[in-house]
Amino acid sequence: MTRHLRTKQLMLLLLTIVALASCKQKTEESIEAVEPMVDNILLKEWTGPYGGVPAFDKMKVEDVKPAMLQGMELNLKDIDVIANNPDAPTFENTIEEMERAGAELDRAFNYYGILSGNMSSPEFREIQSELAPLFSEFNSKITQNEKLFQRVKEVYDASQKTPLEADQQRVVELTYKGFEMNGAELDKAKKERYAAINKELSSLYTNFSNNVLHDEENYVTYLTKEQLAGLSEGFSKSAAQIAADKGQEGKYAITNTRSSIDPFLTYSTERELRMQVWTNYYSRGDNGDEYDNNKIIVDILKLRRERVELLGYKNFADWRLQNRMAKTPENAMNLMEAVWPAAISRVAEEVADMQAVADKKGDNITVEPWDYRFYSEKVRKVKYNLDSDEVKQYLQLDKLTDAMHYVAGRLFNYKFTPVPEGTVPVFNEDVKVWEVTDKDSGENIGLWYLDPYARQGKRSGAWATTYRSHSTFDGEKNVLASNNSNFVKPAPGEALLVSWDDATTFFHEFGHALHFFSSTVRYPTLNGGVRDYTEFQSQLLERWLSTDEVINQFLRHNKTGEPMPAELVAKIKKASTFNQGFSTTEYLASAIMDMKYHLADPTNIDVDKFERETLAELNMPKELPMRHRTPHFGHVFSGEGYATAYYGYMWADVLTADASEAFAEAPGGFYDEEMAAKLVKYLFAPRNSIDPAEAYRLFRGRDAKIEALMRDRGFPVTTE
Ligand SMILES: [Zn+2]
C-alpha cells in the first residue's frame, strides 16, 4: 500500500508541531536579532538561479549533525523570541512569525531527506539514530512551550470573535488545533501523565515492530530442488541466493515477507507448502511465545484511550478524525460498510470461478486461503489473456516523461524545459532538472527534479517531495519539487521499458508534484496535507495514462514506433477490475477492524477473540484473511500514522473515481478545458487552505458518490 513515501511528510510527521513552526525565509530584522554566524553549508541561504537552489553538489555527510544541532538551536531561539514578545499577541507577531521560524533547520532537512532517502549509507544511519531522540526532545520543547501556546490561544480566541481573512483564520485554527490535540491545554499533572503515556507508547510501538520483524526473519521455509514446481527461474535463483546467504547452500528460501510469499503462493503447485508458507505469514506476532503481540496491542489500546480521555474525547477515533476529511468514525465506517457487501459477494463469484478451474483440472480440492492467489492466476489467464511483456514494449520511460509534461500542459498550462546541464546543482549525475513555466506568460513556476534510477542506499519504491513550497506572505516563492523512482538504469542508448503498474505509479507521483506546483497559498502551513485527501490528487492523475491523447502520441512501440493497438488497450482496461473481490475484501477487513478496535472498550479486550468474533459478524469469507491480521498490523500498532486512518486509501479512492467520471462525462473528456480549470482552481491550487470537503463540492457541485467507486471496481450498483 505504501508504494511511495514523501520524505518531507515523514519528517513533518516526526516533528508534528514543528511542521507548523518551521518554514520559509526570515526577515532582515529577525536575522540580525537572533542569529549568530552560520557557516555550515546545509544551513545557508540558497543562492544561484531560479530564486536560489539547494547546494546539493556541496553537501557532505559530516556536515549533517552539526547542521541539525545548530538548526534546532536557531529554531528554538526563534520560538523564544515569539514566546517572549512583550507586545500583545497578534496574528502578525505570533502566527506569522511561527510560519517564518526555523528557516535554517528547514533548509538542512532538505539535505537530510536526500541523504536518508536517495543516497543513504551506514555512516549516515549512525548519525540518524543519534539524532532521533534529539529531534523528539526538540519537538517537546516547542509543543510544551507554555508561553508560546498562551499567545497562540489568545490569537485563536480573538479570531473566534473577530474573524481574520479566510486563509489567516485557517492557519490560526490549524496551529491552535495542533497544540490542543497534543495536550497543550492540560493542567500540569495531566500534562505529565500525557507525556508519560506517550513515552510508554513509543516503546510499545518499537516492541511491536521488533516482534513482527523477528517472526519475519525466523520463519523461513526452505525448499529442495524437487519442490520448485511452478516457480519461475528468476524467483528460484533469488531464493537459492537467499538460502545460501543464510547458510543453507543448495536449498531455496521462502522468507516470511510479502514480496516472497506473494509470488510463491501465486505460482507454486505444492499445495502443502503453500499452506505452510501462508500459515507462517499470517501468524506473525501471534505465535504464543515471547514475540507474541496480543498483550502489547491491549496495552496500546488502553493507553491510547486513556490519553484521549485526558483531552476529553470518548475514543481515539473521535480524536484522530476530527481534522481529517471524514471528520468522524461514523462517516468512515459508513463508506466501508457500504462497499463491504459487494466486495464479499464478488469474492463468492471469484471463488466459484476458481473452484470451476480446479474441478476442470481434476485437482479434487476445495479452495482454501492458501489456494486463492494460485487459482486466481489461472482464472486470469483464461479470462484476459494479457501478456505483460507485450504491454511493456510500448512503455518507454522517456516517452512517459514527455506524456506527463504534455498532460501538465493541457490541464495546468505548464511548459517543461530542461535546464542547461550544470546550471542547477544535483546530488547525482542521473538527476535531471526541468524549468516549469506558464505557457502564456512565461512566468517561472519552479523546477522539477527527476531522480529515476535505483542505486545503492536509495530507499525502494517511488515518492515525491518538495525542497521549497509555494508561499507569498514573505514575497512569492517558486516551487522546487522532485519525483523519485527505482528503475534499473538501461545501457547507454537503450530504451528503458517499464510495466503498466510502474507507468501508473510514475503518473501518480507526478500528480503529487503538480499538486505542489499549483499551490496558490499564502502561508506554508496551508501546504500541509490531510491524510485521507492528499492521495486523491495523485490517484486522479493516474487516469490520464490511458487517455487516447497519451496512448496515440506517447505509448509507442520501442522498435516499430507504432502506437499501442486498441485491442491491447481494451484488454488492459478490462483486466483492471479483475480480482477486486479479493483485494477490496482483504483491505476492507483490515480497515474496518482498525476502526472497531479503537471504538471498543479496551478494559477487558481479548484481541484474538475480538478479531474472530468481529470477522464472523461481518461474514468474512473463509477463503481469505485480512490483508494485515491484528498481531502484525504495523500501520496501526507500530506507530500512530495509520491508527484509525487505514480507511483513508478508500476514502481518497471514492473521490478519485467520482472525479474521473466527471471528466469522462464532460464534452471535452479528460481534456475538457472548463473541467481542467475547475480541477486546478478547486482541487489542486488551494492545498489545505480550505476544507477538503468544501473544495470538492466547489469542483463537483455535490459530494462524491460511493457508486462511482463501485462502478470503478466493477461492483454492481444498487442505489443511486
Ligand atoms: Zn501518493
Side-chain angles (χ1 to χ4, degrees):
M1 298 302 256
T2 39
R3 63 178 161 190
H4 65 91
L5 285 168
R6 293 166 60 190
T7 316
K8 194 64 166 287
Q9 291 278 345
L10 277 182
M11 292 182 310
L12 295 186
L13 255 183
L14 176 68
L15 298 172
T16 51
I17 289 302
V18 180
L20 304 174
S22 91
C23 53
K24 302 295 105 182
Q25 202 180 308
K26 296 187 169 303
T27 60
E28 290 301 318
E29 278 172 337
S30 65
I31 288 176
E32 281 167 27
V34 298
E35 279 181 34
M37 280 290 287
V38 169
D39 286 330
N40 194 307
I41 185 77
L42 307 189
L43 296 167
K44 276 192 176 163
E45 197 88 54
W46 297 345
T47 57
Y50 308 107
V53 291
F56 287 132
D57 54 339
K58 294 195 177 73
M59 70 180 176
K60 292 195 210 82
V61 175
E62 58 263 36
D63 287 337
V64 171
K65 195 171 172 186
M68 300 315 278
L69 294 178
Q70 201 187 349
M72 286 191 273
E73 199 185 308
L74 291 170
N75 196 340
L76 289 174
K77 276 190 183 151
D78 292 347
I79 293 294
D80 266 354
V81 171
I82 301 168
N84 294 305
N85 189 335
D87 298 337
T90 61
F91 179 86
E92 287 72 23
N93 73 20
T94 304
I95 306 295
E96 209 168 86
E97 286 302 322
M98 285 173 72
E99 293 289 295
R100 218 166 256 139
E104 299 84 359
L105 184 63
D106 198 34
R107 285 196 289 269
F109 257 123
N110 283 294
Y111 299 102
Y112 185 92
I114 297 297
L115 290 167
S116 80
N118 299 62
M119 45 198 312
S120 184
S121 59
E123 190 190 1
F124 180 77
R125 278 195 281 273
E126 209 163 292
I127 296 168
Q128 238 177 341
S129 48
E130 282 172 40
L131 286 171
L134 302 178
F135 288 151
S136 158
E137 264 173 40
F138 163 75
N139 190 19
S140 303
K141 281 183 189 160
I142 296 176
T143 52
Q144 291 177 2
N145 188 319
E146 201 71 45
K147 283 185 184 164
L148 179 69
F149 176 64
Q150 281 315 317
R151 292 184 70 87
V152 170
K153 187 169 158 55
E154 275 186 52
V155 176
Y156 171 80
D157 288 344
S159 79
Q160 297 304 299
K161 294 187 193 96
T162 315
L164 299 156
E165 287 176 50
D167 61 340
Q168 295 182 331
Q169 185 74 17
R170 191 156 170 90
V171 179
V172 173
E173 285 171 4
L174 291 169
T175 306
Y176 173 75
K177 200 76 209 160
F179 277 96
E180 193 246 45
M181 278 182 75
N182 289 288
E185 291 216 90
L186 298 176
D187 63 30
K188 194 162 174 289
K190 283 186 176 167
K191 251 189 196 144
E192 272 170 22
R193 180 62 193 143
Y194 192 94
I197 291 174
N198 269 352
K199 200 173 163 203
E200 206 177 331
L201 277 172
S202 74
S203 354
L204 289 171
Y205 297 153
T206 309
N207 293 345
F208 182 97
S209 40
N210 286 344
N211 286 344
V212 175
L213 205 59
H214 171 273
D215 285 359
E216 287 181 350
E217 285 169 353
N218 287 275
Y219 288 79
V220 180
T221 306
Y222 291 102
L223 313 180
T224 62
K225 203 175 166 75
E226 292 70 43
Q227 294 172 318
L228 297 176
L231 302 174
S232 74
E233 205 187 309
F235 182 82
S236 303
K237 260 193 192 157
S238 104
Q241 186 58 52
I242 296 166
D245 291 346
K246 290 179 181 294
Q248 300 273 347
E249 197 80 43
K251 290 194 175 163
Y252 302 82
I254 309 302
T255 59
N256 207 16
T257 59
R258 191 175 291 279
S259 57
S260 193
I261 67 126
D262 251 344
F264 181 80
L265 293 174
T266 305
Y267 298 108
S268 171
T269 57
E270 300 278 339
R271 192 169 187 236
E272 284 297 309
L273 285 169
R274 286 207 306 266
M275 184 173 77
Q276 188 186 326
V277 164
W278 185 93
T279 306
N280 285 345
Y281 186 71
Y282 289 99
S283 304
R284 287 169 301 143
D286 197 23
N287 290 305
D289 53 11
E290 59 183 302
Y291 304 101
D292 190 289
N293 272 333
N294 285 285
K295 165 85 171 61
I296 291 179
I297 292 162
V298 175
D299 293 343
I300 289 174
L301 291 171
K302 283 182 181 165
L303 287 167
R304 281 180 181 166
R305 175 63 66 92
E306 187 192 340
R307 198 183 70 194
V308 300
E309 278 175 353
L310 286 174
L311 299 169
Y313 292 88
K314 214 162 76 240
N315 59 60
F316 185 86
D318 281 352
W319 173 78
R320 177 78 283 164
L321 268 63
Q322 59 183 310
N323 60 356
R324 298 281 158 82
M325 191 176 171
K327 297 274 193 300
T328 66
E330 292 72 31
N331 289 337
M333 282 302 285
N334 286 345
L335 164 63
M336 296 193 282
E337 283 170 355
V339 180
W340 179 255
I344 59 174
S345 80
R346 175 56 49 85
V347 166
E349 291 168 29
E350 288 171 2
V351 170
D353 283 348
M354 293 189 287
Q355 193 63 54
V357 169
D359 293 348
K360 199 170 165 197
K361 283 176 70 212
D363 282 355
N364 194 26
I365 58 116
T366 305
V367 174
E368 297 284 352
W370 39 91
D371 300 319
Y372 212 116
R373 290 171 179 79
F374 180 79
Y375 285 103
S376 84
E377 181 59 20
K378 304 259 176 286
V379 174
R380 192 181 70 85
K381 281 232 169 84
V382 177
K383 272 198 165 168
Y384 301 100
N385 185 29
L386 183 62
D387 180 354
S388 56
D389 202 54
E390 189 191 349
V391 176
K392 246 185 176 181
Q393 302 306 316
Y394 296 89
L395 300 171
Q396 306 173 61
L397 196 73
D398 288 351
K399 291 267 191 295
L400 288 168
T401 308
D402 294 344
M404 297 192 312
H405 294 167
Y406 167 80
V407 169
R410 292 289 300 270
L411 301 179
F412 292 79
N413 207 41
Y414 291 164
K415 185 180 169 201
F416 285 72
T417 314
V419 304
E421 199 107 4
T423 51
V424 172
V426 291
F427 50 86
N428 183 288
E429 58 173 6
D430 290 335
V431 178
K432 298 288 172 247
V433 187
W434 282 259
E435 184 188 7
V436 188
T437 51
D438 182 272
K439 274 204 280 191
D440 299 323
S441 69
E443 183 205 347
N444 174 280
I445 309 287
L447 295 176
W448 183 63
Y449 294 68
L450 176 65
D451 181 20
Y453 306 130
R455 76 173 65 85
Q456 175 85 25
K458 189 172 178 180
R459 85 158 54 104
S460 62
W463 66 95
T465 185
T466 43
Y467 308 138
R468 181 168 58 220
S469 298
H470 175 88
S471 69
T472 60
F473 82 118
D474 263 344
E476 186 146 0
K477 302 281 186 298
N478 63 350
V479 177
L480 307 180
S482 83
N483 280 167
N484 308 270
S485 326
N486 270 288
F487 297 110
V488 177
K489 192 177 177 176
E494 287 212 13
L496 172 50
L497 303 179
V498 309
S499 70
W500 184 262
D501 273 359
D502 284 346
T504 305
T505 305
F506 201 46
F507 268 62
H508 175 102
E509 299 307 335
F510 189 62
H512 283 305
L514 290 175
H515 199 187
F516 297 137
F517 284 127
S518 55
S519 168
T520 52
V521 305
R522 184 155 43 149
Y523 299 102
T525 284
L526 300 178
N527 278 310
V530 178
R531 176 144 295 175
D532 53 6
Y533 187 63
T534 48
E535 290 304 319
F536 157 53
Q537 287 79 4
S538 48
Q539 285 178 5
L540 185 59
L541 203 92
E542 296 173 14
R543 306 293 170 119
W544 272 265
L545 172 60
S546 53
T547 56
D548 291 344
E549 284 82 348
V550 165
I551 291 168
N552 294 329
Q553 296 177 77
F554 304 102
L555 305 196
R556 290 180 169 267
H557 195 281
N558 71 91
K559 296 224 165 63
T560 67
E562 290 295 313
M564 186 181 269
E567 315 84 77
L568 191 54
V569 177
K571 271 192 206 172
I572 293 168
K573 288 185 178 171
K574 193 174 163 217
S576 72
T577 59
F578 175 67
N579 222 28
Q580 273 299 334
F582 178 85
S583 49
T584 305
T585 301
E586 67 155 8
Y587 159 77
L588 268 183
S590 286
I592 292 172
M593 199 64 80
D594 165 33
M595 201 60 84
K596 294 214 171 200
Y597 272 117
H598 292 90
L599 295 171
D601 179 357
T603 317
N604 293 309
I605 200 163
D606 174 339
V607 169
D608 193 61
K609 191 165 155 239
F610 188 87
E611 185 188 279
R612 239 180 307 114
E613 290 180 353
T614 310
L615 290 175
E617 278 164 31
L618 287 168
N619 289 318
M620 177 75 180
K622 64 173 176 47
E623 293 87 359
L624 78 167
M626 301 161 68
R627 183 173 172 86
H628 310 278
R629 280 199 54 235
T630 317
H632 45 254
F633 201 171
H635 289 79
V636 177
F637 297 113
S638 66
E640 292 186 17
Y642 281 91
T644 69
Y646 197 61
Y647 77 89
Y649 291 103
M650 180 169 275
W651 190 272
D653 222 16
V654 172
L655 300 171
T656 305
D658 192 67
S660 62
E661 285 191 351
F663 275 99
E665 289 157 7
F670 277 79
Y671 297 90
D672 188 271
E673 283 183 20
E674 200 183 314
M675 286 296 299
K678 277 172 137 182
L679 173 91
V680 177
K681 185 174 178 190
Y682 298 125
L683 300 182
F684 277 70
R687 299 284 314 180
N688 195 18
S689 65
I690 52 174
D691 181 81
E694 183 55 30
Y696 194 81
R697 250 171 252 136
L698 288 167
F699 166 74
R700 194 67 159 114
R702 57 166 175 76
D703 290 333
K705 290 185 180 174
I706 296 176
E707 288 79 5
L709 175 105
M710 303 293 270
R711 281 187 285 273
D712 202 38
R713 296 191 179 202
F715 294 159
V717 177
T718 48
T719 55
E720 185 72 53

